Structures are given as structure tokens and as C-alpha cells.
Amino acid sequence: MARLAQTAGLTDVQQEILSTVRDFVDKEIIPVATGLEHRDEYPQQIVDGLKDLGLFGLMIPEEYGGLGESLLTYALCVEEIARGWMSVSGIINTHFIVAYMLKQHGTQEQKEHFLPRMAAGDIRGAFSMSEPGLGSDVSAITSKAVKDGDEYVLNGQKMWLTNGGTSSLVAVLVRSDEGHPEGTAPHKSMTTFLVEKEPGFGEVRPGLTIPGKIDKMGYKGVDTTELIMDGLRIPADRVLGGVTGRGFYHMMDGVEVGRVNVAARGCGVAQRAFELGVGYAQQRHTFGKPIAQHQAIQFKLAEMATKVEAAHAMMVNAARKKDSGERNDLEAGMAKYLASEYCKEVVEDAFRIHGGYGFSKEYEIERLYREAPMLLIGEGTAEIQKMIIGRRLLEEYRFQG
């Protein structure tokens, strides 16, 4: 086992789960990831393997057929999976955010209906906040739900759905002014709807269209899509938690878990980049010796390893804080910000160590170089994280003058 990014205080069960996942990554993901990524091919065989391992139910309570594990266990598994191929970690992340939101905020009927099948991997989740014109400004959402008898009619266009095509359950955030007088703060007039659909593209249920995959620079294999609602009718019992106006809070709770996940992904990709860089540096010779013996390369390796270690420590701290029941938006924001920035830097240094070969599609570092930028914008940009961190720090350190 590598020296870097170790986690103290894990139980025997946690260690066994991690060991199983690491073994799966080394044998089933790393050997095929670059080929699948270059073809932009959905990794069905890998997903089936994760399903067999029970990973789709990792954080779902045992009473609903899951493993009932902690956010820390989940984050460490994500770190291992992202080390193999970041796209695979994206396939399980949105699923877990939806499962977490159901577990925390769903009605008893909603939990009983969805969670057992989500734990088995038979229902796969996606969630949708963003829209084409708003990016990080969630309060500017224009998609709308209007009450019509025992149903709501949803209209609008959503953007950047990870697993938009392959999922069969989407948690969709829309504006719902019903019961909220004019002038109500935007975040208090939003509702999360649990939208069931057929996997695939085109019209996947009446009033709901998934146009197709968005072609991306990296983060391939996993499908990223739009979602178009045109007179989509959803029964009132599919309002998450059964009460309108709480959607923004549901989503922000889910995004805190998502930010720990993105931090874990950054840690995993950075670890793999370091492994590739330190390995290549000991094989490549210049001026009569391995480049690892040149001080310039040793300095790079030292900086890379320190960043890997620091990001991992912050990610673990953010996960443990959430597991303890405490608010963790500050720690999750810091971990996501640091891990994604450090990931980009470690990947770039590994790319530089590879020299011209880093530019070749034959070498794995080329794929990592295209994947790392997604972490700078996913689950809230670096700038959004800094705003969250700054505001929380001012709350904690309010001037008492």
C-alpha cells in the first residue's frame, strides 16, 4: 500500500470495503479506462461490477437494503474510484446525492418506494439544479411548477445533468410560487420534485425530453445532458418531503455531500497523477541518469506529494464533520476548493514530468489533464467556494466592536 493519503482510525469493516474497492479499481478500471474514455463509451461492465459490490447502496440505511456506511467511507471509496477513472465516480455521485436527500428529507412512503431499489442499483439517480442561463446563480431558476388538482405541471429547461440519460430518477429543482406570496425570497419558493423516467434519450416520458449527450473536453463515458420539461405532469406525492418551498434547502444539503465527493475525486485523480509522475521519473533517463535523480524533478515530486497529502486530510476532515451531525459547509467548501486546485496543479506537474509523451494519447496522463478542469467548476466553482468560505468565516469571527 502507498505511503500517501492514509486515513487513521478506520474500522476493520471500512478497511475491508476500501481494500475491495482498491482491488476492483486496479483490476477492472485502470486497464480499460483510457480506451473507454477515448471512445466516450459508457462503462457498463464497470457499473455492473460496482452494483455487484453493493456500492450503489453504500450510504443507504440497512433497513432499506443498503450498507448503512458513513460519508467518510463513501468519500474514501470515491477517492479510490476516481484514482482509476473520474467518470465512474461521477456515475455514483449523483445517485448518492439523491439517495441522501431522500434519506434525510423524503416522506416515509418516498423512502420505502425508492431507497431499496436504489440500494440494489435498479433505480439510478440524477439531480438537476442548473439551467442554461444561470450557472452558479441558483436563485435565478426560471423552470416552474404550477399546481393543477392533485398534480403539478412542470415547464422549463435544465442543464448539466450527470447521468441524465442513464438515470431512472431525477431530483429536479424548480420554482413553485404556490403558497408563497409575491416578494418571498427566491430560495424560499423552490421545490424539489422526484421525477421518474425511462433511461435513454429523446422523450423519456410524456412532457420530458433528454435531447442527447453533451460533447465534453473530458469527463467522458458518463452522460451529461440537458432536460426539457414541457407540460410534464408530476403527482403531488412526488414533492420531496411532501411540502413545497423547501427545495433549495434540500439541494444545498445534498450539495454539501456532493462537495465532499468532488474533493474526494480531486484527491483520487491527484494520487493517480503522482503515481504516474513518480513512476515515469524513475524510468526515463536524461544526461546519464533517471530524471528522478535531477533536483528539479525531485522538487516537483515533493510538492506534488505534499499537495496530495494536504488535500486528503481536508477531505477526510470535511466528511467526518458531516458524519458527526455538525454543519460542514465551511469544511466541505475548503476541501472542495483546495482538492480541486491542487489536483489541477499535481496533474500539470505530472504532465510536465512526462515531457512530450504527456501530450500523447497513449499515455494516461493525457486523459487526466483533460479531466482535472471539471473539478474546478463541478458542484460550485472555485469562486463560489471562496464566497461560501468567506461568509462563513465572517460569521465565525464576527467583529465584536
Side-chain angles (χ1 to χ4, degrees):
M1 187 186 285
R3 172 75 182 267
L4 292 180
Q6 296 302 298
T7 311
L10 297 181
T11 65
D12 290 344
V13 171
Q14 287 175 312
Q15 288 174 349
E16 189 178 337
I17 290 171
L18 283 177
S19 176
T20 303
V21 172
R22 187 178 300 119
D23 193 48
F24 181 83
V25 167
D26 288 339
K27 290 177 181 172
E28 307 294 335
I29 298 183
I30 289 175
V32 300
T34 296
L36 287 166
E37 198 271 350
H38 286 169
R39 296 192 299 274
D40 196 8
E41 183 179 327
Y42 187 77
Q44 188 61 56
Q45 202 168 338
I46 292 171
V47 170
D48 290 343
L50 295 176
K51 191 172 164 180
D52 291 342
L53 290 176
L55 281 190
F56 284 102
L58 192 63
M59 270 182 76
I60 293 173
E62 291 180 18
E63 64 189 285
Y64 299 110
L67 297 177
E69 271 296 331
S70 63
L71 178 59
L72 176 62
T73 309
Y74 168 59
L76 295 174
C77 286
V78 166
E79 183 178 42
E80 291 292 345
I81 291 167
R83 188 184 135 258
W85 184 15
M86 193 179 79
S87 293
V88 179
S89 64
I91 288 168
I92 62 172
N93 178 41
T94 54
H95 177 84
F96 264 106
I97 290 177
V98 178
Y100 175 82
M101 287 164 59
L102 271 162
K103 180 185 80 167
Q104 294 296 104
H105 307 290
T107 65
Q108 193 58 39
E109 185 273 332
Q110 289 167 355
K111 292 178 192 177
E112 289 171 1
H113 182 75
F114 290 114
L115 288 179
R117 288 184 290 158
M118 292 185 82
D122 296 333
I123 287 182
R124 301 258 287 290
F127 82 111
S128 176
M129 284 195 296
S130 193
E131 294 182 0
L134 61 88
S136 297
D137 185 9
V138 179
S139 64
I141 277 176
T142 58
S143 296
K144 195 161 185 177
V146 176
K147 188 84 184 286
D148 182 22
D150 292 334
E151 296 180 316
Y152 288 84
V153 181
L154 277 58
N155 288 285
Q157 185 176 0
K158 309 298 281 185
M159 192 71 177
W160 305 120
L161 271 80
T162 302
N163 295 320
T166 47
S167 60
S168 43
L169 173 65
V170 187
V172 182
L173 184 67
V174 299
R175 189 169 301 291
S176 58
D177 296 327
E178 171 229 0
H180 308 287
E182 199 167 326
T184 300
H187 68 280
K188 291 184 178 176
S189 59
M190 293 183 190
T191 298
T192 302
F193 285 86
L194 300 168
V195 177
E196 297 167 85
K197 70 175 188 66
E198 289 297 317
F201 300 97
E203 190 171 26
V204 290
R205 69 175 278 178
L208 180 64
T209 301
I210 307 291
K213 288 165 64 170
I214 296 167
D215 197 15
K216 309 180 296 275
M217 173 176 78
Y219 198 40
K220 292 177 180 286
V222 60
D223 47 291
T224 305
T225 73
E226 298 172 75
L227 179 148
I228 298 167
M229 300 173 289
D230 183 11
L232 172 63
R233 303 188 78 86
I234 302 293
D237 63 5
R238 289 296 171 257
V239 170
L240 180 62
V243 181
T244 61
R246 299 291 301 165
F248 180 80
Y249 302 102
H250 298 154
M251 285 282 176
M252 290 305 105
D253 192 22
V255 164
E256 278 184 25
V257 174
R259 283 180 180 147
V260 173
N261 171 288
V262 172
R265 286 197 235 182
C267 292
V269 174
Q271 277 183 53
R272 185 60 183 160
F274 175 78
E275 289 171 10
L276 295 171
V278 77
Y280 185 82
Q282 293 171 79
Q283 297 165 35
R284 176 83 164 101
H285 285 67
T286 63
F287 307 105
K289 60 183 178 182
I291 63 172
Q293 291 181 23
H294 294 294
Q295 193 178 60
I297 300 299
Q298 287 181 13
F299 280 6
K300 275 198 194 305
L301 293 172
E303 290 168 3
M304 291 160 72
T306 303
K307 289 171 181 175
V308 166
E309 192 74 2
H312 176 83
M314 288 198 76
M315 179 271 290
V316 167
N317 179 55
R320 283 186 160 145
K321 189 105 176 182
K322 186 82 169 174
D323 283 333
S324 73
E326 295 179 72
R327 182 177 177 181
N328 88 328
D329 55 340
L330 176 64
E331 290 76 13
M334 284 180 166
K336 191 272 175 189
Y337 168 59
L338 189 88
S340 56
E341 295 289 338
Y342 275 0
C343 174
K344 177 197 65 155
E345 294 168 14
V346 171
V347 167
E348 180 159 339
D349 278 343
F351 174 81
R352 289 170 186 262
I353 287 170
H354 279 74
Y357 290 106
F359 215 61
S360 165
K361 281 188 174 284
E362 286 182 45
Y363 283 74
E364 194 179 334
I365 192 64
E366 180 271 343
R367 167 169 65 82
L368 269 57
Y369 196 80
R370 288 183 291 103
E371 288 177 342
M374 198 287 288
L375 298 170
L376 302 172
I377 51 174
E379 313 291 10
T381 62
E383 290 70 27
I384 289 289
Q385 304 311 317
K386 287 191 273 190
M387 281 171 55
I388 292 167
I389 293 163
R391 287 172 184 166
R392 287 287 286 116
L393 289 172
L394 288 171
E395 283 178 31
E396 297 284 342
Y397 290 89
R398 186 170 282 116
F399 178 62
Q400 304 294 327

